[in-house]
Amino acid sequence: MTQIAAMAYAAIVAVVIVFQLCLVAGAPWGRLTQGGRHEGSLPAPGRIAAALSIGLLVCMAAGISSAAGLFPHWPAWTAWAALAVQAPSMLANWATPSRAERRLWGPVTTLMLGLAVYVVFGTS
């Protein structure tokens, strides 16, 4: 079951990465991210932040997948690091001033945290 949970986590991360790529490309979804401060497309600094988050998301998915015995077989600490990033991410998405962001990303990041916890503690 931990491998299924890790694959589900990775699949959600893939969707989030597509969202971030769209933001970088100029999608008018600023109200759904980064505190909802921007209607329409993100300004250049926001797009850079979205691009940087893609690398972080890839590493988080790799850490959780590795904890379940899947590719890329990274050390166990990487799953704990992913968990350490996922928890405050969830809290931030529930605490954002943007109602639209809370409604979209609050549940998504909560599910991601639940899956990550299941994998990390199910394999420890």
Side-chain angles (χ1 to χ4, degrees):
M1 285 301 290
T2 56
Q3 289 185 340
I4 292 170
M7 288 186 285
Y9 183 88
I12 295 169
V13 166
V15 171
V16 176
I17 287 172
V18 169
F19 176 81
Q20 298 295 339
L21 286 169
C22 290
L23 290 172
V24 170
W29 301 333
R31 67 186 183 93
L32 297 173
T33 189
Q34 299 178 14
R37 293 181 302 267
H38 305 285
E39 280 296 323
S41 299
L42 294 174
R47 291 181 189 197
I48 292 168
L52 293 173
S53 73
I54 292 169
L56 179 61
L57 287 162
V58 167
C59 290
M60 290 169 65
I64 297 300
S65 295
S66 294
L70 302 170
F71 183 81
H73 309 293
W74 285 3
W77 69 264
T78 61
W80 288 97
L83 196 57
V85 172
Q86 189 66 61
S89 173
M90 181 206 67
L91 292 174
N93 278 286
W94 282 113
T96 180
S98 168
R99 182 171 185 227
E101 186 177 3
R102 271 193 317 273
R103 291 181 72 183
L104 174 62
W105 296 115
V108 171
T109 56
T110 300
L111 176 58
M112 291 173 73
L113 179 61
L115 290 166
V117 165
Y118 181 82
V119 171
V120 170
F121 286 97
T123 59
S124 314

